[in-house]
Amino acid sequence: AVELTNAEAAKTCDFMIGEMQAAYAKSGGPVSNSYQGWTRYSNVAYVSGTHGNRYVQNYGNAKAKAYGKFENAGRMPVGAILAKDSFQVKGAGKVAVGPLFVMEKMPAGWNKASDDWKYSMVLPTGAIMGVTKGTNSKAMKFCYECHISVAEDQDSLLFLPEEYRQN
């Protein structure tokens, strides 16, 4: 990934936000059409190595408000949804929309393997890459295996680096 300063990342994200919204909206999913109105927990887009070295921003719906306490968030309630939009900066300054990564807390017992989180990914075309216990569920196994292996004691929540957190 091409490295950007925080100012460049903010400017690029501002430039890309409409394109990301239009791309994800093609999926017709409610999260794709609403996440940008949720609380944003990142103060600027940052590179996430676990999300393909893409620039991402973290959002949460109202039920996920405890996410803003980060390591002290505790277990999320059923219906909490976290989303990460993304973009890539390629050589020669070319910028492209990346996937929308989504995790939604489901009722206890829904899927022990994923700590009762439903993971999904919306591609820039609007196509759904996969959904836990749904379309192409196997593709989502990597997501929950990573989350649970690193953060099992934190409700499988991974948090953005401190320097990118909203205060």
Side-chain angles (χ1 to χ4, degrees):
V2 174
E3 288 193 37
L4 303 175
T5 65
N6 285 350
E8 291 169 332
K11 185 177 179 179
T12 303
C13 191
D14 287 346
F15 174 76
M16 293 297 294
I17 205 82
E19 192 174 336
M20 287 189 283
Q21 178 65 41
Y24 306 142
K26 293 175 192 172
S27 74
V31 171
S32 300
N33 292 312
S34 64
Y35 80 93
Q36 288 181 353
W38 299 350
T39 300
R40 190 178 82 203
Y41 293 102
S42 47
N43 57 22
V44 69
Y46 64 96
V47 174
S48 175
T50 56
H51 294 88
N53 289 319
R54 294 175 179 93
Y55 282 84
V56 299
Q57 292 202 108
N58 301 54
Y59 300 84
N61 69 357
K63 288 189 176 188
K65 67 182 176 186
Y67 182 80
K69 296 177 184 177
F70 302 106
E71 287 79 7
N72 297 316
R75 293 194 69 78
M76 292 287 112
V78 172
I81 304 173
L82 300 169
K84 277 187 170 86
D85 56 16
S86 69
F87 64 88
Q88 289 180 291
V89 181
K90 301 176 182 180
K94 292 188 177 190
V95 183
V97 174
L100 175 67
F101 303 94
V102 180
M103 51 191 291
E104 177 180 359
K105 192 66 173 187
M106 304 302 285
W110 182 79
N111 186 11
K112 183 177 178 169
S114 69
D115 205 12
D116 297 321
W117 284 100
K118 177 170 69 173
Y119 291 81
S120 58
M121 187 186 318
V122 179
L123 298 176
T125 61
I128 306 298
M129 166 78 178
V131 178
T132 305
K133 291 182 70 176
T135 303
N136 196 18
S137 184
K138 285 183 182 182
M140 299 296 95
K141 188 175 179 183
F142 173 82
C143 300
Y144 65 74
E145 285 180 345
C146 179
H147 276 253
I148 206 165
S149 72
V150 176
E152 183 176 17
D153 61 336
Q154 295 178 162
D155 196 22
S156 296
L157 296 171
L158 299 176
F159 304 106
L160 55 155
E162 288 184 26
E163 64 268 27
Y164 299 115
R165 296 176 180 181
Q166 290 280 21
N167 295 330

